[in-house]
PDB file of all heavy atoms in Angstrom:
ATOM      1  N   ILE A 277      -3.616 -13.381  -4.866  1.00 95.00           N
ATOM      2  CA  ILE A 277      -3.247 -12.917  -6.207  1.00 95.00           C
ATOM      3  C   ILE A 277      -3.495 -11.413  -6.285  1.00 95.00           C
ATOM      4  O   ILE A 277      -4.492 -10.900  -5.764  1.00 95.00           O
ATOM      5  CB  ILE A 277      -4.075 -13.640  -7.286  1.00 95.00           C
ATOM      6  CG1 ILE A 277      -3.660 -15.110  -7.377  1.00 95.00           C
ATOM      7  CG2 ILE A 277      -3.921 -12.977  -8.648  1.00 95.00           C
ATOM      8  CD1 ILE A 277      -4.462 -15.916  -8.382  1.00 95.00           C
ATOM      9  N   ALA A 278      -2.573 -10.708  -6.934  1.00 94.00           N
ATOM     10  CA  ALA A 278      -2.756  -9.300  -7.270  1.00 94.00           C
ATOM     11  C   ALA A 278      -2.582  -9.153  -8.777  1.00 94.00           C
ATOM     12  O   ALA A 278      -1.693  -9.773  -9.364  1.00 94.00           O
ATOM     13  CB  ALA A 278      -1.758  -8.430  -6.524  1.00 94.00           C
ATOM     14  N   VAL A 279      -3.426  -8.346  -9.392  1.00 96.00           N
ATOM     15  CA  VAL A 279      -3.396  -8.186 -10.841  1.00 96.00           C
ATOM     16  C   VAL A 279      -3.374  -6.708 -11.203  1.00 96.00           C
ATOM     17  O   VAL A 279      -4.254  -5.946 -10.782  1.00 96.00           O
ATOM     18  CB  VAL A 279      -4.618  -8.854 -11.508  1.00 96.00           C
ATOM     19  CG1 VAL A 279      -4.631  -8.563 -13.012  1.00 96.00           C
ATOM     20  CG2 VAL A 279      -4.612 -10.356 -11.260  1.00 96.00           C
ATOM     21  N   LYS A 280      -2.389  -6.325 -11.982  1.00 95.00           N
ATOM     22  CA  LYS A 280      -2.308  -4.961 -12.527  1.00 95.00           C
ATOM     23  C   LYS A 280      -2.570  -5.056 -14.031  1.00 95.00           C
ATOM     24  O   LYS A 280      -1.945  -5.849 -14.730  1.00 95.00           O
ATOM     25  CB  LYS A 280      -0.913  -4.367 -12.281  1.00 95.00           C
ATOM     26  CG  LYS A 280      -0.727  -2.939 -12.770  1.00 95.00           C
ATOM     27  CD  LYS A 280      -1.536  -1.963 -11.934  1.00 95.00           C
ATOM     28  CE  LYS A 280      -1.227  -0.519 -12.298  1.00 95.00           C
ATOM     29  NZ  LYS A 280       0.147  -0.112 -11.899  1.00 95.00           N
ATOM     30  N   ILE A 281      -3.512  -4.261 -14.521  1.00 97.00           N
ATOM     31  CA  ILE A 281      -3.841  -4.259 -15.945  1.00 97.00           C
ATOM     32  C   ILE A 281      -3.473  -2.899 -16.525  1.00 97.00           C
ATOM     33  O   ILE A 281      -3.947  -1.855 -16.042  1.00 97.00           O
ATOM     34  CB  ILE A 281      -5.332  -4.551 -16.179  1.00 97.00           C
ATOM     35  CG1 ILE A 281      -5.723  -5.881 -15.535  1.00 97.00           C
ATOM     36  CG2 ILE A 281      -5.634  -4.585 -17.679  1.00 97.00           C
ATOM     37  CD1 ILE A 281      -7.194  -6.211 -15.653  1.00 97.00           C
ATOM     38  N   ASN A 282      -2.633  -2.898 -17.531  1.00 96.00           N
ATOM     39  CA  ASN A 282      -2.251  -1.662 -18.217  1.00 96.00           C
ATOM     40  C   ASN A 282      -3.173  -1.478 -19.419  1.00 96.00           C
ATOM     41  O   ASN A 282      -3.188  -2.302 -20.331  1.00 96.00           O
ATOM     42  CB  ASN A 282      -0.793  -1.729 -18.667  1.00 96.00           C
ATOM     43  CG  ASN A 282       0.154  -1.911 -17.491  1.00 96.00           C
ATOM     44  OD1 ASN A 282      -0.037  -1.319 -16.435  1.00 96.00           O
ATOM     45  ND2 ASN A 282       1.178  -2.744 -17.670  1.00 96.00           N
ATOM     46  N   TYR A 283      -3.957  -0.412 -19.402  1.00 96.00           N
ATOM     47  CA  TYR A 283      -4.920  -0.183 -20.475  1.00 96.00           C
ATOM     48  C   TYR A 283      -4.999   1.317 -20.775  1.00 96.00           C
ATOM     49  O   TYR A 283      -4.517   2.151 -19.981  1.00 96.00           O
ATOM     50  CB  TYR A 283      -6.291  -0.748 -20.098  1.00 96.00           C
ATOM     51  CG  TYR A 283      -6.865  -0.253 -18.794  1.00 96.00           C
ATOM     52  CD1 TYR A 283      -7.654   0.896 -18.735  1.00 96.00           C
ATOM     53  CD2 TYR A 283      -6.661  -0.957 -17.606  1.00 96.00           C
ATOM     54  CE1 TYR A 283      -8.197   1.346 -17.546  1.00 96.00           C
ATOM     55  CE2 TYR A 283      -7.205  -0.520 -16.415  1.00 96.00           C
ATOM     56  CZ  TYR A 283      -7.975   0.632 -16.387  1.00 96.00           C
ATOM     57  OH  TYR A 283      -8.509   1.069 -15.201  1.00 96.00           O
ATOM     58  N   PRO A 284      -5.609   1.705 -21.904  1.00 96.00           N
ATOM     59  CA  PRO A 284      -5.665   3.124 -22.278  1.00 96.00           C
ATOM     60  C   PRO A 284      -6.289   3.989 -21.185  1.00 96.00           C
ATOM     61  O   PRO A 284      -7.229   3.583 -20.501  1.00 96.00           O
ATOM     62  CB  PRO A 284      -6.534   3.117 -23.543  1.00 96.00           C
ATOM     63  CG  PRO A 284      -6.292   1.771 -24.140  1.00 96.00           C
ATOM     64  CD  PRO A 284      -6.156   0.837 -22.969  1.00 96.00           C
ATOM     65  N   ALA A 285      -5.780   5.192 -21.047  1.00 95.00           N
ATOM     66  CA  ALA A 285      -6.187   6.078 -19.961  1.00 95.00           C
ATOM     67  C   ALA A 285      -7.651   6.475 -20.044  1.00 95.00           C
ATOM     68  O   ALA A 285      -8.278   6.779 -19.012  1.00 95.00           O
ATOM     69  CB  ALA A 285      -5.304   7.331 -19.969  1.00 95.00           C
ATOM     70  N   ASP A 286      -8.235   6.470 -21.244  1.00 96.00           N
ATOM     71  CA  ASP A 286      -9.633   6.884 -21.379  1.00 96.00           C
ATOM     72  C   ASP A 286     -10.618   5.726 -21.220  1.00 96.00           C
ATOM     73  O   ASP A 286     -11.823   5.910 -21.384  1.00 96.00           O
ATOM     74  CB  ASP A 286      -9.856   7.588 -22.723  1.00 96.00           C
ATOM     75  CG  ASP A 286      -9.508   6.700 -23.916  1.00 96.00           C
ATOM     76  OD1 ASP A 286      -8.841   5.662 -23.714  1.00 96.00           O
ATOM     77  OD2 ASP A 286      -9.889   7.057 -25.051  1.00 96.00           O
ATOM     78  N   TRP A 287     -10.129   4.531 -20.914  1.00 97.00           N
ATOM     79  CA  TRP A 287     -11.005   3.389 -20.681  1.00 97.00           C
ATOM     80  C   TRP A 287     -11.514   3.389 -19.241  1.00 97.00           C
ATOM     81  O   TRP A 287     -10.850   3.893 -18.319  1.00 97.00           O
ATOM     82  CB  TRP A 287     -10.269   2.077 -20.928  1.00 97.00           C
ATOM     83  CG  TRP A 287     -10.108   1.701 -22.369  1.00 97.00           C
ATOM     84  CD1 TRP A 287     -10.266   2.513 -23.457  1.00 97.00           C
ATOM     85  CD2 TRP A 287      -9.740   0.425 -22.866  1.00 97.00           C
ATOM     86  NE1 TRP A 287     -10.018   1.817 -24.603  1.00 97.00           N
ATOM     87  CE2 TRP A 287      -9.689   0.519 -24.276  1.00 97.00           C
ATOM     88  CE3 TRP A 287      -9.444  -0.804 -22.277  1.00 97.00           C
ATOM     89  CZ2 TRP A 287      -9.360  -0.557 -25.097  1.00 97.00           C
ATOM     90  CZ3 TRP A 287      -9.106  -1.875 -23.075  1.00 97.00           C
ATOM     91  CH2 TRP A 287      -9.072  -1.749 -24.483  1.00 97.00           C
ATOM     92  N   LYS A 288     -12.680   2.788 -19.038  1.00 97.00           N
ATOM     93  CA  LYS A 288     -13.178   2.459 -17.714  1.00 97.00           C
ATOM     94  C   LYS A 288     -13.051   0.958 -17.507  1.00 97.00           C
ATOM     95  O   LYS A 288     -12.965   0.202 -18.475  1.00 97.00           O
ATOM     96  CB  LYS A 288     -14.646   2.876 -17.561  1.00 97.00           C
ATOM     97  CG  LYS A 288     -14.893   4.367 -17.554  1.00 97.00           C
ATOM     98  CD  LYS A 288     -16.377   4.667 -17.372  1.00 97.00           C
ATOM     99  CE  LYS A 288     -16.634   6.166 -17.377  1.00 97.00           C
ATOM    100  NZ  LYS A 288     -18.083   6.476 -17.245  1.00 97.00           N
ATOM    101  N   ALA A 289     -13.060   0.548 -16.249  1.00 98.00           N
ATOM    102  CA  ALA A 289     -12.974  -0.879 -15.937  1.00 98.00           C
ATOM    103  C   ALA A 289     -14.041  -1.237 -14.917  1.00 98.00           C
ATOM    104  O   ALA A 289     -14.251  -0.506 -13.939  1.00 98.00           O
ATOM    105  CB  ALA A 289     -11.589  -1.237 -15.401  1.00 98.00           C
ATOM    106  N   GLY A 290     -14.730  -2.353 -15.153  1.00 98.00           N
ATOM    107  CA  GLY A 290     -15.743  -2.823 -14.230  1.00 98.00           C
ATOM    108  C   GLY A 290     -15.433  -4.225 -13.745  1.00 98.00           C
ATOM    109  O   GLY A 290     -15.113  -5.106 -14.544  1.00 98.00           O
ATOM    110  N   SER A 291     -15.546  -4.443 -12.443  1.00 98.00           N
ATOM    111  CA  SER A 291     -15.300  -5.760 -11.860  1.00 98.00           C
ATOM    112  C   SER A 291     -15.803  -5.760 -10.429  1.00 98.00           C
ATOM    113  O   SER A 291     -15.905  -4.701  -9.794  1.00 98.00           O
ATOM    114  CB  SER A 291     -13.805  -6.105 -11.874  1.00 98.00           C
ATOM    115  OG  SER A 291     -13.562  -7.350 -11.231  1.00 98.00           O
ATOM    116  N   ALA A 292     -16.111  -6.948  -9.911  1.00 96.00           N
ATOM    117  CA  ALA A 292     -16.473  -7.067  -8.503  1.00 96.00           C
ATOM    118  C   ALA A 292     -15.246  -7.048  -7.607  1.00 96.00           C
ATOM    119  O   ALA A 292     -15.372  -6.920  -6.382  1.00 96.00           O
ATOM    120  CB  ALA A 292     -17.264  -8.347  -8.274  1.00 96.00           C
ATOM    121  N   LEU A 293     -14.055  -7.166  -8.189  1.00 96.00           N
ATOM    122  CA  LEU A 293     -12.830  -7.137  -7.401  1.00 96.00           C
ATOM    123  C   LEU A 293     -12.545  -5.727  -6.895  1.00 96.00           C
ATOM    124  O   LEU A 293     -12.854  -4.733  -7.562  1.00 96.00           O
ATOM    125  CB  LEU A 293     -11.642  -7.619  -8.241  1.00 96.00           C
ATOM    126  CG  LEU A 293     -11.619  -9.102  -8.618  1.00 96.00           C
ATOM    127  CD1 LEU A 293     -10.497  -9.357  -9.620  1.00 96.00           C
ATOM    128  CD2 LEU A 293     -11.446  -9.979  -7.386  1.00 96.00           C
ATOM    129  N   GLU A 294     -11.901  -5.651  -5.738  1.00 93.00           N
ATOM    130  CA  GLU A 294     -11.463  -4.370  -5.200  1.00 93.00           C
ATOM    131  C   GLU A 294     -10.050  -4.066  -5.675  1.00 93.00           C
ATOM    132  O   GLU A 294      -9.246  -4.969  -5.907  1.00 93.00           O
ATOM    133  CB  GLU A 294     -11.487  -4.408  -3.669  1.00 93.00           C
ATOM    134  CG  GLU A 294     -12.854  -4.676  -3.062  1.00 93.00           C
ATOM    135  CD  GLU A 294     -13.777  -3.467  -3.143  1.00 93.00           C
ATOM    136  OE1 GLU A 294     -13.303  -2.383  -3.543  1.00 93.00           O
ATOM    137  OE2 GLU A 294     -14.967  -3.620  -2.823  1.00 93.00           O
ATOM    138  N   LYS A 295      -9.742  -2.772  -5.810  1.00 92.00           N
ATOM    139  CA  LYS A 295      -8.387  -2.340  -6.149  1.00 92.00           C
ATOM    140  C   LYS A 295      -7.720  -1.732  -4.921  1.00 92.00           C
ATOM    141  O   LYS A 295      -8.388  -1.095  -4.093  1.00 92.00           O
ATOM    142  CB  LYS A 295      -8.426  -1.274  -7.250  1.00 92.00           C
ATOM    143  CG  LYS A 295      -8.463  -1.786  -8.665  1.00 92.00           C
ATOM    144  CD  LYS A 295      -8.353  -0.607  -9.632  1.00 92.00           C
ATOM    145  CE  LYS A 295      -8.355  -1.062 -11.075  1.00 92.00           C
ATOM    146  NZ  LYS A 295      -8.229   0.093 -12.011  1.00 92.00           N
ATOM    147  N   ASN A 296      -6.374  -1.896  -4.826  1.00 91.00           N
ATOM    148  CA  ASN A 296      -5.650  -1.184  -3.782  1.00 91.00           C
ATOM    149  C   ASN A 296      -5.195   0.176  -4.311  1.00 91.00           C
ATOM    150  O   ASN A 296      -5.455   0.534  -5.472  1.00 91.00           O
ATOM    151  CB  ASN A 296      -4.492  -2.019  -3.238  1.00 91.00           C
ATOM    152  CG  ASN A 296      -3.372  -2.206  -4.251  1.00 91.00           C
ATOM    153  OD1 ASN A 296      -3.396  -1.662  -5.359  1.00 91.00           O
ATOM    154  ND2 ASN A 296      -2.368  -2.987  -3.870  1.00 91.00           N
ATOM    155  N   LYS A 297      -4.511   0.952  -3.494  1.00 90.00           N
ATOM    156  CA  LYS A 297      -4.135   2.306  -3.881  1.00 90.00           C
ATOM    157  C   LYS A 297      -3.140   2.332  -5.036  1.00 90.00           C
ATOM    158  O   LYS A 297      -2.998   3.360  -5.722  1.00 90.00           O
ATOM    159  CB  LYS A 297      -3.532   3.046  -2.676  1.00 90.00           C
ATOM    160  CG  LYS A 297      -2.270   2.418  -2.106  1.00 90.00           C
ATOM    161  CD  LYS A 297      -1.787   3.173  -0.893  1.00 90.00           C
ATOM    162  CE  LYS A 297      -0.543   2.540  -0.299  1.00 90.00           C
ATOM    163  NZ  LYS A 297       0.602   2.544  -1.224  1.00 90.00           N
ATOM    164  N   ASP A 298      -2.479   1.223  -5.296  1.00 90.00           N
ATOM    165  CA  ASP A 298      -1.515   1.151  -6.391  1.00 90.00           C
ATOM    166  C   ASP A 298      -2.141   0.630  -7.682  1.00 90.00           C
ATOM    167  O   ASP A 298      -1.439   0.415  -8.675  1.00 90.00           O
ATOM    168  CB  ASP A 298      -0.336   0.250  -5.997  1.00 90.00           C
ATOM    169  CG  ASP A 298       0.439   0.810  -4.811  1.00 90.00           C
ATOM    170  OD1 ASP A 298       0.688   2.029  -4.805  1.00 90.00           O
ATOM    171  OD2 ASP A 298       0.776   0.041  -3.894  1.00 90.00           O
ATOM    172  N   GLY A 299      -3.443   0.410  -7.671  1.00 92.00           N
ATOM    173  CA  GLY A 299      -4.129   0.003  -8.893  1.00 92.00           C
ATOM    174  C   GLY A 299      -4.149  -1.481  -9.145  1.00 92.00           C
ATOM    175  O   GLY A 299      -4.470  -1.922 -10.257  1.00 92.00           O
ATOM    176  N   TYR A 300      -3.827  -2.305  -8.136  1.00 94.00           N
ATOM    177  CA  TYR A 300      -3.856  -3.760  -8.288  1.00 94.00           C
ATOM    178  C   TYR A 300      -5.226  -4.304  -7.852  1.00 94.00           C
ATOM    179  O   TYR A 300      -5.714  -3.968  -6.774  1.00 94.00           O
ATOM    180  CB  TYR A 300      -2.775  -4.420  -7.433  1.00 94.00           C
ATOM    181  CG  TYR A 300      -1.377  -4.282  -7.980  1.00 94.00           C
ATOM    182  CD1 TYR A 300      -0.609  -3.159  -7.697  1.00 94.00           C
ATOM    183  CD2 TYR A 300      -0.825  -5.288  -8.773  1.00 94.00           C
ATOM    184  CE1 TYR A 300       0.685  -3.033  -8.196  1.00 94.00           C
ATOM    185  CE2 TYR A 300       0.469  -5.171  -9.273  1.00 94.00           C
ATOM    186  CZ  TYR A 300       1.214  -4.030  -8.979  1.00 94.00           C
ATOM    187  OH  TYR A 300       2.485  -3.917  -9.484  1.00 94.00           O
ATOM    188  N   TYR A 301      -5.810  -5.141  -8.710  1.00 94.00           N
ATOM    189  CA  TYR A 301      -6.975  -5.906  -8.285  1.00 94.00           C
ATOM    190  C   TYR A 301      -6.513  -6.995  -7.329  1.00 94.00           C
ATOM    191  O   TYR A 301      -5.491  -7.658  -7.574  1.00 94.00           O
ATOM    192  CB  TYR A 301      -7.668  -6.555  -9.476  1.00 94.00           C
ATOM    193  CG  TYR A 301      -8.411  -5.592 -10.369  1.00 94.00           C
ATOM    194  CD1 TYR A 301      -7.883  -5.211 -11.602  1.00 94.00           C
ATOM    195  CD2 TYR A 301      -9.645  -5.071  -9.993  1.00 94.00           C
ATOM    196  CE1 TYR A 301      -8.564  -4.331 -12.426  1.00 94.00           C
ATOM    197  CE2 TYR A 301     -10.337  -4.188 -10.815  1.00 94.00           C
ATOM    198  CZ  TYR A 301      -9.791  -3.821 -12.027  1.00 94.00           C
ATOM    199  OH  TYR A 301     -10.470  -2.955 -12.836  1.00 94.00           O
ATOM    200  N   LEU A 302      -7.264  -7.200  -6.238  1.00 94.00           N
ATOM    201  CA  LEU A 302      -6.852  -8.140  -5.199  1.00 94.00           C
ATOM    202  C   LEU A 302      -7.837  -9.304  -5.101  1.00 94.00           C
ATOM    203  O   LEU A 302      -9.051  -9.107  -5.073  1.00 94.00           O
ATOM    204  CB  LEU A 302      -6.779  -7.432  -3.849  1.00 94.00           C
ATOM    205  CG  LEU A 302      -5.927  -6.146  -3.811  1.00 94.00           C
ATOM    206  CD1 LEU A 302      -5.998  -5.530  -2.430  1.00 94.00           C
ATOM    207  CD2 LEU A 302      -4.491  -6.439  -4.214  1.00 94.00           C
ATOM    208  N   ALA A 303      -7.285 -10.505  -5.052  1.00 94.00           N
ATOM    209  CA  ALA A 303      -8.104 -11.707  -4.881  1.00 94.00           C
ATOM    210  C   ALA A 303      -7.408 -12.612  -3.884  1.00 94.00           C
ATOM    211  O   ALA A 303      -6.183 -12.731  -3.897  1.00 94.00           O
ATOM    212  CB  ALA A 303      -8.293 -12.429  -6.212  1.00 94.00           C
ATOM    213  N   ASP A 304      -8.188 -13.269  -3.032  1.00 92.00           N
ATOM    214  CA  ASP A 304      -7.569 -14.092  -1.994  1.00 92.00           C
ATOM    215  C   ASP A 304      -7.164 -15.473  -2.481  1.00 92.00           C
ATOM    216  O   ASP A 304      -6.574 -16.237  -1.727  1.00 92.00           O
ATOM    217  CB  ASP A 304      -8.482 -14.207  -0.767  1.00 92.00           C
ATOM    218  CG  ASP A 304      -9.853 -14.766  -1.108  1.00 92.00           C
ATOM    219  OD1 ASP A 304     -10.067 -15.165  -2.270  1.00 92.00           O
ATOM    220  OD2 ASP A 304     -10.714 -14.799  -0.205  1.00 92.00           O
ATOM    221  N   SER A 305      -7.480 -15.793  -3.754  1.00 94.00           N
ATOM    222  CA  SER A 305      -7.109 -17.105  -4.295  1.00 94.00           C
ATOM    223  C   SER A 305      -7.309 -17.096  -5.798  1.00 94.00           C
ATOM    224  O   SER A 305      -7.918 -16.174  -6.365  1.00 94.00           O
ATOM    225  CB  SER A 305      -7.982 -18.211  -3.676  1.00 94.00           C
ATOM    226  OG  SER A 305      -9.330 -18.046  -4.090  1.00 94.00           O
ATOM    227  N   TYR A 306      -6.821 -18.140  -6.451  1.00 96.00           N
ATOM    228  CA  TYR A 306      -7.067 -18.303  -7.882  1.00 96.00           C
ATOM    229  C   TYR A 306      -8.555 -18.473  -8.146  1.00 96.00           C
ATOM    230  O   TYR A 306      -9.083 -17.929  -9.133  1.00 96.00           O
ATOM    231  CB  TYR A 306      -6.289 -19.518  -8.398  1.00 96.00           C
ATOM    232  CG  TYR A 306      -6.453 -19.757  -9.887  1.00 96.00           C
ATOM    233  CD1 TYR A 306      -5.773 -18.967 -10.811  1.00 96.00           C
ATOM    234  CD2 TYR A 306      -7.282 -20.763 -10.368  1.00 96.00           C
ATOM    235  CE1 TYR A 306      -5.910 -19.173 -12.176  1.00 96.00           C
ATOM    236  CE2 TYR A 306      -7.435 -20.979 -11.723  1.00 96.00           C
ATOM    237  CZ  TYR A 306      -6.739 -20.188 -12.622  1.00 96.00           C
ATOM    238  OH  TYR A 306      -6.909 -20.397 -13.969  1.00 96.00           O
ATOM    239  N   ASP A 307      -9.247 -19.186  -7.269  1.00 95.00           N
ATOM    240  CA  ASP A 307     -10.688 -19.368  -7.443  1.00 95.00           C
ATOM    241  C   ASP A 307     -11.406 -18.028  -7.516  1.00 95.00           C
ATOM    242  O   ASP A 307     -12.326 -17.838  -8.322  1.00 95.00           O
ATOM    243  CB  ASP A 307     -11.257 -20.191  -6.289  1.00 95.00           C
ATOM    244  CG  ASP A 307     -10.716 -21.605  -6.251  1.00 95.00           C
ATOM    245  OD1 ASP A 307      -9.493 -21.758  -6.059  1.00 95.00           O
ATOM    246  OD2 ASP A 307     -11.498 -22.557  -6.405  1.00 95.00           O
ATOM    247  N   ARG A 308     -10.975 -17.080  -6.680  1.00 94.00           N
ATOM    248  CA  ARG A 308     -11.649 -15.775  -6.654  1.00 94.00           C
ATOM    249  C   ARG A 308     -11.348 -14.979  -7.927  1.00 94.00           C
ATOM    250  O   ARG A 308     -12.230 -14.278  -8.435  1.00 94.00           O
ATOM    251  CB  ARG A 308     -11.213 -14.983  -5.420  1.00 94.00           C
ATOM    252  CG  ARG A 308     -11.900 -13.616  -5.304  1.00 94.00           C
ATOM    253  CD  ARG A 308     -13.401 -13.739  -5.125  1.00 94.00           C
ATOM    254  NE  ARG A 308     -14.087 -12.466  -5.237  1.00 94.00           N
ATOM    255  CZ  ARG A 308     -14.229 -11.582  -4.259  1.00 94.00           C
ATOM    256  NH1 ARG A 308     -13.702 -11.839  -3.064  1.00 94.00           N
ATOM    257  NH2 ARG A 308     -14.881 -10.463  -4.444  1.00 94.00           N
ATOM    258  N   ILE A 309     -10.154 -15.077  -8.463  1.00 96.00           N
ATOM    259  CA  ILE A 309      -9.852 -14.326  -9.688  1.00 96.00           C
ATOM    260  C   ILE A 309     -10.649 -14.907 -10.856  1.00 96.00           C
ATOM    261  O   ILE A 309     -11.103 -14.185 -11.745  1.00 96.00           O
ATOM    262  CB  ILE A 309      -8.334 -14.322  -9.985  1.00 96.00           C
ATOM    263  CG1 ILE A 309      -7.956 -13.099 -10.856  1.00 96.00           C
ATOM    264  CG2 ILE A 309      -7.857 -15.569 -10.680  1.00 96.00           C
ATOM    265  CD1 ILE A 309      -7.955 -11.804 -10.136  1.00 96.00           C
ATOM    266  N   VAL A 310     -10.874 -16.222 -10.847  1.00 96.00           N
ATOM    267  CA  VAL A 310     -11.706 -16.845 -11.879  1.00 96.00           C
ATOM    268  C   VAL A 310     -13.163 -16.438 -11.694  1.00 96.00           C
ATOM    269  O   VAL A 310     -13.911 -16.306 -12.667  1.00 96.00           O
ATOM    270  CB  VAL A 310     -11.560 -18.381 -11.829  1.00 96.00           C
ATOM    271  CG1 VAL A 310     -12.565 -19.063 -12.746  1.00 96.00           C
ATOM    272  CG2 VAL A 310     -10.141 -18.782 -12.215  1.00 96.00           C
ATOM    273  N   ASP A 311     -13.545 -16.214 -10.470  1.00 94.00           N
ATOM    274  CA  ASP A 311     -14.927 -15.865 -10.129  1.00 94.00           C
ATOM    275  C   ASP A 311     -15.236 -14.382 -10.359  1.00 94.00           C
ATOM    276  O   ASP A 311     -16.334 -13.931 -10.055  1.00 94.00           O
ATOM    277  CB  ASP A 311     -15.169 -16.202  -8.655  1.00 94.00           C
ATOM    278  CG  ASP A 311     -16.639 -16.230  -8.288  1.00 94.00           C
ATOM    279  OD1 ASP A 311     -17.473 -16.555  -9.156  1.00 94.00           O
ATOM    280  OD2 ASP A 311     -16.961 -15.917  -7.121  1.00 94.00           O
ATOM    281  N   SER A 312     -14.271 -13.639 -10.919  1.00 96.00           N
ATOM    282  CA  SER A 312     -14.421 -12.177 -10.996  1.00 96.00           C
ATOM    283  C   SER A 312     -13.994 -11.642 -12.362  1.00 96.00           C
ATOM    284  O   SER A 312     -12.870 -11.162 -12.528  1.00 96.00           O
ATOM    285  CB  SER A 312     -13.583 -11.520  -9.897  1.00 96.00           C
ATOM    286  OG  SER A 312     -13.887 -12.058  -8.628  1.00 96.00           O
ATOM    287  N   PRO A 313     -14.860 -11.709 -13.377  1.00 97.00           N
ATOM    288  CA  PRO A 313     -14.508 -11.179 -14.692  1.00 97.00           C
ATOM    289  C   PRO A 313     -14.278  -9.664 -14.645  1.00 97.00           C
ATOM    290  O   PRO A 313     -14.795  -8.973 -13.752  1.00 97.00           O
ATOM    291  CB  PRO A 313     -15.723 -11.530 -15.549  1.00 97.00           C
ATOM    292  CG  PRO A 313     -16.851 -11.649 -14.580  1.00 97.00           C
ATOM    293  CD  PRO A 313     -16.252 -12.210 -13.332  1.00 97.00           C
ATOM    294  N   ILE A 314     -13.533  -9.186 -15.628  1.00 98.00           N
ATOM    295  CA  ILE A 314     -13.221  -7.756 -15.722  1.00 98.00           C
ATOM    296  C   ILE A 314     -13.560  -7.291 -17.135  1.00 98.00           C
ATOM    297  O   ILE A 314     -13.073  -7.862 -18.118  1.00 98.00           O
ATOM    298  CB  ILE A 314     -11.733  -7.479 -15.418  1.00 98.00           C
ATOM    299  CG1 ILE A 314     -11.356  -8.056 -14.048  1.00 98.00           C
ATOM    300  CG2 ILE A 314     -11.442  -5.983 -15.462  1.00 98.00           C
ATOM    301  CD1 ILE A 314      -9.858  -8.034 -13.765  1.00 98.00           C
ATOM    302  N   LEU A 315     -14.402  -6.287 -17.236  1.00 98.00           N
ATOM    303  CA  LEU A 315     -14.751  -5.678 -18.519  1.00 98.00           C
ATOM    304  C   LEU A 315     -14.139  -4.285 -18.560  1.00 98.00           C
ATOM    305  O   LEU A 315     -14.320  -3.494 -17.621  1.00 98.00           O
ATOM    306  CB  LEU A 315     -16.271  -5.598 -18.675  1.00 98.00           C
ATOM    307  CG  LEU A 315     -16.804  -4.993 -19.975  1.00 98.00           C
ATOM    308  CD1 LEU A 315     -16.433  -5.860 -21.177  1.00 98.00           C
ATOM    309  CD2 LEU A 315     -18.332  -4.826 -19.903  1.00 98.00           C
TER     310      LEU A 315
END
């Protein structure tokens, strides 16, 4: 799974997930995306 979140430019984002150079959060399965909240 890859996830791109569009949010205001002045926001920060925290998560245990890694991002690729295009700004997508990467998870190897649905279980991992559930296991990784994003604030």
